[in-house]
């Protein structure tokens, strides 16, 4: 029997991130709001960011809604801070594709829908769940200081801002994948030597 040979995918790693954040204090944001169903025809992950929160970013005349936070130049960054129960509704993975393609690497909320959370992790987006009280503090900090920087320390599982440090949980397998830029196949490839040794023993 031959050795296991699989090409590794080129996926961005997430280990440490320092960024400002975009506040979206809306609860129960479902996947149809994140990426409306009419934009799900494509099978490639590219260009979904163009239609992220499409019905909130644009009005019925297809003009920018200047009241929506993504259109407010005051706020920017690779971190999205959202209200509780983010990613509820249908299980479409396209929601994670849209967030990733737009440029978000971390989502902070007080609760995530389970399927969305897994879709995010599978697409190298880190969902950080904090308490309701901590979420309100984060929103307040951003509104008072739009340029405030948040440090995400994935190896130590800490979210740092100002002089505060918040611990967060993450699945250890997915943590390994995020730090190394692995998808599930890449993780398998990282165990290639052990797999080949096992195959050799069976031959």
């Amino acid at each position: 029997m031959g050795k296991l040979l699989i090409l590794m995918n080129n996926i961005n790693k997430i280990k440490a991130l320092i960024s400002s954040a975009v506040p979206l204090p809306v609860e129960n944001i479902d996947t149809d709001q994140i990426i409306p169903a009419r934009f799900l025809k494509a099978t490639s992950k590219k260009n979904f960011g163009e239609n992220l929160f499409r019905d909130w970013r644009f009005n019925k005349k297809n003009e920018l809604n200047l009241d929506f936070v993504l259109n407010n130049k005051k706020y920017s960054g690779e971190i999205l801070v959202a209200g509780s129960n983010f990613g509820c509704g249908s299980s479409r993975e396209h929601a994670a594709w849209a967030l990733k393609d737009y440029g978000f690497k971390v989502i902070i909320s007080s609760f995530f829908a389970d399927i969305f959370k897994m879709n995010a992790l599978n697409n190298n987006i880190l969902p950080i769940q904090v308490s309701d009280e901590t979420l309100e503090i984060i929103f307040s900090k951003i509104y008072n200081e739009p340029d405030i920087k948040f440090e995400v320390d994935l190896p130590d599982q800490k979210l740092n801002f100002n002089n505060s440090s918040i611990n967060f949980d993450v699945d250890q397998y997915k943590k390994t994948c995020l730090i190394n830029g692995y998808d599930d196949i890449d993780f398998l490839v990282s165990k290639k030597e052990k797999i080949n040794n096992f195959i050799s023993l069976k031959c």
Side-chain angles (χ1 to χ4, degrees), residues 105-121:
K105 295 181 179 178
V106 173
I107 314 291
I108 300 173
S109 180
S110 58
F111 184 78
F112 294 94
D114 288 341
I115 295 177
F116 170 82
K117 186 175 183 179
M118 186 56 62
N119 285 337
L121 289 166

Side-chain angles (χ1 to χ4, degrees), residues 74-94:
K74 183 191 300 185
Y75 302 109
S76 64
E78 297 174 301
I79 299 173
L80 176 67
V81 183
S84 181
N85 200 27
F86 186 80
C88 57
S90 76
S91 60
R92 68 189 64 164
E93 189 176 5
H94 305 74

Side-chain angles (χ1 to χ4, degrees), residues 117-165:
K117 186 175 183 179
M118 186 56 62
N119 285 337
L121 289 166
N122 286 340
N123 285 277
N124 282 58
I125 298 173
L126 174 63
I128 296 179
Q129 186 166 325
V130 298
S131 68
D132 290 325
E133 294 76 15
T134 298
L135 186 65
E136 289 304 316
I137 291 171
I138 291 174
F139 278 129
S140 178
K141 293 290 186 183
I142 297 172
Y143 288 132
N144 289 330
E145 187 183 345
D147 292 331
I148 185 174
K149 295 296 189 294
F150 296 85
E151 179 186 1
V152 178
D153 181 346
L154 182 53
D156 287 339
Q157 296 178 211
K158 292 183 181 295
L159 173 65
N160 304 312
F161 58 99
N162 283 0
N163 294 317
S164 301
S165 184

